[in-house]
Amino acid sequence: MSISKSGAKSLDLLKKLPRISLVNLGPNPGAKKNEKRRGRGQHGGNRSGRGHKGERQRGNRPRLGFEGGQTPFYLVIPKYGYNEGHSRRPQYQPLTLNKLQYLIDLGRVDPSQPIDLTQLVNSRGVTIQPLKRDYGVHLVAEGAENFSAKVNIEVQMASELAIAAIEKNGGVITTSFYDPRSLCILCKPVPFFTRGQPIPKRMLPGEDLLPYYTDAKNRGYMAELAKIQEARMELARTYGYILPDITKEELFEMLSMRKGPRQIFFGLSPGWVVNMAEKKILKPTDERLISYYNSS
Amino acid sequence: MFRRSLSVCCRQIGKTFLSTLPEDVGLPSNLKLPPNLISTAKRERPSPVGSGLPVLRKCEIEIPPQLSAKQAWLESLKDDTLGLVELHPDVFAVPPRLDILHEVIVWQRNFKRISHAKVKTRAEVRGGGRKPWQQKGSGRARHGSIRSPLWRGGGIAHGPRGPTSYYYMLPMKVRVLGLKVALSTKLAQDYLHIIDSLEIPTPEPQYLLDLAKQRQWGESVLIVDVHEDMPENILKATANLKTINLMPVIGLNVYSMLKHETVLLTVDAVNFLEKKLLWHDHRYSPLYPFRLPYNDFP
């Protein structure tokens, strides 16, 4: 109320004032500060802010980190193995169950369709930077007490309590691996389709992450379905809730939708070219291409 | 400048500038009008709110409940006032941010600027490779080249170097807000008029000049329509006129709006502007440029 009233008051005041034109405008007082001009005037001149004699005034100071010959700090501290390759390690953007519930409640994410990283990015719930060694999203269990949505969600990493919270509400959670190129395509599909390249095969995880994604406890996409069923029942026993039977749900078909190990998008196979301008999909006809894209 | 005037006006709300009473001593000197001035004040038009004329155009986009639509006269270039139109307050009644207007105008002037000024340094000036005289013994000052900046005809030490670009982009929302503030201030100061279409009876430029004089639009008029294909009569009439200009609504910008005294918008242009300018209030942040297709939003 007060905002519109003060806006209306100032618009009324304008009626009495001269016409606003190119000659009467200026920045707000204090907005523009004059820049420092070296070598001009009583205070900027004389030595121009360089000090008195020596390397400082003559611009000959040594490189950053040099300590006059004493072993510099950055060389005194020894290297150690636990830091090796720290900048190349895969990073996962956290997604709390609180935030997921918030997005579903506000209608930014549709729980009646499988929730993918594309859906999360489109709803601006997470920001993934594939070029900064982000390998996807990590589902974190903060807000597990208040989570009450039945969803088919696919993330890249999930904590045990988060898996339990999703399955308790009758949902399905899968963890799957996306190599950086596939992740880039998954996060921003439209710019990829405008490039006119065929959808690539999703690469399999390397030897470090393979045990994670073949483990049923993490609901990995490469684990066997029977073992996943056992793991669901065991988790229910551990956390003390009754595991709801999803085969008897209306949305069972949607909840059981899963991507193939080499598939990036639901409904699109690797090797297809999507033409957004003409709304057409082009599929390969050459045998070699078909066998390459269909092989796992 | 405006802030001082605003503070003065706060104390003297309701007094016009033509008051010759000694109370206008409080005004800044550049706003005091000389006492022998022939009155050229615009005659005030009645406010559109109280009149009984029908509202011929309602806002298509929903107005928030705490705000009310602004009403303006719907005029015609041929006949008299046709009725009223309702304008969205979030486009035509935003608080008058004059500093944003200034920022956008400075940006409009400078972002296209490429200064081609370039001078030669001592390395580029022709000659000057040889030491003019020996270091010691000649009695003259020591020099290494005849084209050093100390010499007449020598290079310039710190001059402009090559084409320099002054390109920068203000955030999209600042530029949008600039347009909204410009429209609001034009409407508030009575320099914005809404017309139904651009049809005029004759292709004579004198018709438009007489119309502008009769309706007290001022020296310059900016006429804005949606598309470039406007009726032939008005295209011919404005072809050789310098002060009355036509513009498609995609070319509407703060500089042109403030340069021309009056702005005439057609109802289609108002629809287009409201749709485009209000979209930015509720859109999501871009994942990729907006020219690529988005599915559901923005």
Side-chain angles (χ1 to χ4, degrees):
Chain A
M1 271 298 257
S2 58
I3 303 164
S4 63
K5 275 192 175 165
S6 66
K9 224 199 246 181
S10 32
L11 284 174
D12 282 331
L13 283 174
L14 278 182
K15 290 195 212 294
K16 308 292 181 192
L17 290 170
R19 171 166 69 101
I20 296 175
S21 92
L22 299 170
V23 298
N24 351 15
L25 290 173
N28 273 340
K32 301 279 180 193
K33 192 157 174 169
N34 285 336
E35 65 169 89
K36 198 183 258 193
R37 292 181 74 214
R38 310 272 185 174
R40 302 283 188 280
Q42 180 190 6
H43 304 288
N46 201 12
R47 298 201 195 91
S48 307
R50 299 286 312 213
H52 175 66
K53 279 187 180 176
E55 287 178 335
R56 293 161 191 232
Q57 193 176 22
R58 293 168 180 144
N60 288 324
R61 276 204 256 206
R63 65 185 178 276
L64 188 67
F66 186 68
E67 291 178 18
Q70 164 181 295
T71 313
F73 170 77
Y74 69 90
L75 290 180
V76 159
I77 307 299
K79 291 205 261 188
Y80 200 80
Y82 52 54
N83 289 324
E84 194 180 322
H86 71 284
S87 58
R88 283 178 221 212
R89 290 192 197 136
Q91 295 180 351
Y92 296 88
Q93 191 73 9
L95 175 69
T96 52
L97 287 174
N98 264 334
K99 181 95 188 208
L100 184 58
Q101 186 65 56
Y102 175 82
L103 293 171
I104 292 172
D105 288 340
L106 288 181
R108 279 154 69 162
V109 159
D110 187 9
S112 68
Q113 295 294 320
I115 295 181
D116 199 2
L117 187 55
T118 326
Q119 307 308 317
L120 292 170
V121 166
N122 279 352
S123 67
R124 313 299 191 275
V126 284
T127 312
I128 306 284
Q129 297 169 297
L131 297 172
K132 300 284 179 195
R133 274 72 63 192
D134 272 355
Y135 271 60
V137 90
H138 188 318
L139 197 61
V140 157
E142 184 176 326
E145 312 84 40
N146 306 327
F147 187 75
S148 60
K150 189 167 69 180
V151 287
N152 174 5
I153 190 162
E154 190 203 48
V155 285
Q156 281 66 54
M157 283 219 159
S159 66
E160 204 188 17
L161 184 50
I163 298 174
I166 301 244
E167 291 183 342
K168 180 178 176 185
N169 288 302
V172 170
I173 176 163
T174 332
T175 48
S176 57
F177 174 79
Y178 287 87
D179 55 292
R181 183 179 174 209
S182 310
L183 189 72
C184 218
I185 295 170
L186 184 70
C187 292
K188 296 187 184 174
V190 174
F192 171 73
F193 292 143
T194 52
R195 276 175 238 159
Q197 292 165 7
I199 300 175
K201 292 199 289 194
R202 216 204 308 173
M203 294 292 119
L204 297 172
E207 58 179 71
D208 299 329
L209 289 167
L210 193 61
Y212 184 88
Y213 290 108
T214 40
D215 197 353
K217 286 209 195 76
N218 304 323
R219 310 292 184 270
Y221 71 126
M222 302 176 82
E224 291 154 36
L225 290 170
K227 294 225 170 109
I228 289 185
Q229 216 20 52
E230 283 172 25
R232 279 165 61 93
M233 291 193 281
E234 222 189 287
L235 201 64
R237 254 176 284 141
T238 326
Y239 282 97
Y241 60 84
I242 307 165
L243 189 67
D245 191 3
I246 50 170
T247 47
K248 296 188 182 117
E249 305 252 354
E250 321 156 344
L251 294 169
F252 172 62
E253 229 185 270
M254 186 280 290
L255 288 174
S256 56
M257 270 171 89
R258 249 187 168 216
K259 288 185 194 169
R262 295 287 196 168
Q263 198 184 2
I264 300 184
F265 297 109
F266 279 116
L268 294 174
S269 285
W272 294 0
V273 179
V274 173
N275 185 343
M276 289 202 78
E278 289 165 33
K279 306 219 165 131
K280 287 190 187 154
I281 297 182
L282 306 158
K283 302 182 190 178
T285 48
D286 195 49
E287 303 165 357
R288 289 172 297 175
L289 284 174
I290 295 173
S291 60
Y292 168 75
Y293 281 117
N294 285 345
S295 71
S296 72
Chain B
M1 226 233 285
F2 266 107
R3 276 154 292 287
R4 254 183 282 133
S5 328
L6 274 166
S7 62
V8 162
C9 278
C10 280
R11 283 180 254 131
Q12 303 179 330
I13 285 174
K15 295 210 162 73
T16 64
F17 282 135
L18 290 187
S19 155
T20 49
L21 300 168
E23 285 150 45
D24 65 359
V25 164
L27 282 174
S29 56
N30 58 331
L31 294 181
K32 280 187 217 156
L33 291 167
N36 57 349
L37 188 68
I38 303 164
S39 165
T40 48
K42 285 171 78 162
R43 56 153 200 276
E44 282 212 19
R45 288 195 303 174
S47 155
V49 183
S51 73
L53 286 176
V55 176
L56 294 170
R57 182 246 171 206
K58 290 224 172 234
C59 294
E60 283 157 7
I61 301 163
E62 234 184 85
I63 301 175
Q66 71 269 26
L67 303 167
S68 54
K70 282 286 265 189
Q71 291 194 326
W73 295 113
L74 178 66
E75 296 166 34
S76 163
L77 291 175
K78 287 195 271 201
D79 317 310
D80 267 340
T81 318
L82 298 174
L84 297 180
V85 288
E86 286 206 332
L87 303 171
H88 201 291
D90 276 335
V91 174
F92 288 92
V94 299
R97 289 288 306 268
L98 305 177
D99 55 314
I100 288 192
L101 284 182
H102 171 76
E103 259 185 44
V104 175
I105 285 172
V106 165
W107 169 75
Q108 272 190 262
R109 278 208 305 255
N110 287 337
F111 85 105
K112 287 181 273 202
R113 177 180 170 207
I114 298 182
S115 99
H116 294 277
K118 184 173 184 177
V119 292
K120 292 180 162 44
T121 55
R122 62 182 288 174
E124 292 165 357
V125 176
R126 183 93 169 160
R130 183 175 57 202
K131 195 166 168 63
W133 47 79
Q134 70 215 21
Q135 179 83 356
K136 299 189 76 62
S138 67
R140 288 187 283 183
R142 51 192 179 181
H143 288 291
S145 115
I146 54 166
R147 301 298 189 205
S148 96
L150 274 48
W151 283 63
R152 174 195 178 277
I156 306 292
H158 294 295
R161 289 297 298 157
T164 342
S165 154
Y166 290 83
Y167 174 80
Y168 68 103
M169 288 307 276
L170 282 179
M172 202 190 287
K173 295 189 187 180
V174 171
R175 288 176 269 141
V176 164
L177 186 57
L179 279 173
K180 289 180 185 166
V181 171
L183 288 167
S184 310
T185 48
K186 281 288 179 195
L187 183 67
Q189 296 193 312
D190 234 359
Y191 290 110
L192 187 77
H193 302 264
I194 317 286
I195 50 180
D196 57 341
S197 77
L198 293 183
E199 311 228 323
I200 49 174
T202 53
E204 284 292 308
Q206 197 55 40
Y207 176 81
L208 284 174
L209 291 168
D210 292 334
L211 192 68
K213 196 150 189 178
Q214 179 233 323
R215 299 205 186 168
Q216 296 196 320
W217 282 346
E219 301 164 341
S220 46
V221 183
L222 182 66
I223 307 180
V224 182
D225 193 14
V226 182
H227 300 296
E228 290 172 322
D229 52 340
M230 301 176 196
E232 266 194 50
N233 276 350
I234 199 153
L235 284 172
K236 279 194 200 146
T238 50
N240 288 327
L241 278 178
K242 286 194 176 179
T243 52
I244 303 187
N245 295 314
L246 294 176
M247 193 183 259
V249 77
I250 42 172
L252 191 63
N253 58 88
V254 173
Y255 190 93
S256 298
M257 279 205 273
L258 295 196
K259 191 163 173 66
H260 294 81
E261 229 181 282
T262 333
V263 177
L264 303 185
L265 292 174
T266 53
V267 175
D268 296 329
V270 170
N271 286 338
F272 182 92
L273 277 171
E274 283 190 356
K275 198 170 105 187
K276 291 279 174 176
L277 296 179
L278 287 170
W279 175 72
H280 289 277
D281 285 344
H282 302 291
R283 65 167 169 86
Y284 277 34
S285 59
L287 288 174
Y288 42 86
F290 287 125
R291 57 187 157 81
L292 295 179
Y294 276 82
N295 187 19
D296 34 5
F297 56 75

